[in-house]
Amino acid sequence: MPSLPMPITDVFVALADPRQTNKVQHSLAETLTVAVCGILVGADTFEEIQAWAREKLPWLRRYLELPNGIPSHDTFARLFALIQP
């Protein structure tokens, strides 16, 4: 029996979240998933990732919860600044 593909969010579950817990409004796995999807469709900046994600919010919500909507471009920038490559 063929196995199902692993959801992209599962790739990010093992990452340690570098953010201050009491200030987090967006899931690390979901935020990174949105960023990766945006980059895959050609977004080059955090502003472009945010704009693409807002446009595609109904589609993204088919796969992600996004209870607080799309992170701002500043949120993407802060998160990527904290992640150790």
Side-chain angles (χ1 to χ4, degrees), residues 30 56-66:
E30 288 193 347
K56 299 298 183 184
L57 182 58
W59 179 80
L60 287 166
R61 282 206 165 126
R62 290 173 49 194
Y63 307 98
L64 306 171
E65 291 182 21
L66 299 168

Side-chain angles (χ1 to χ4, degrees), residues 25-61:
Q25 293 184 6
H26 303 280
S27 151
L28 176 66
E30 288 193 347
T31 302
L32 292 174
T33 298
V34 169
V36 167
C37 289
I39 291 165
L40 287 173
V41 298
D44 291 322
T45 66
F46 297 124
E47 290 86 356
E48 290 176 357
I49 292 170
Q50 178 188 5
W52 171 82
R54 283 189 174 163
E55 181 180 316
K56 299 298 183 184
L57 182 58
W59 179 80
L60 287 166
R61 282 206 165 126

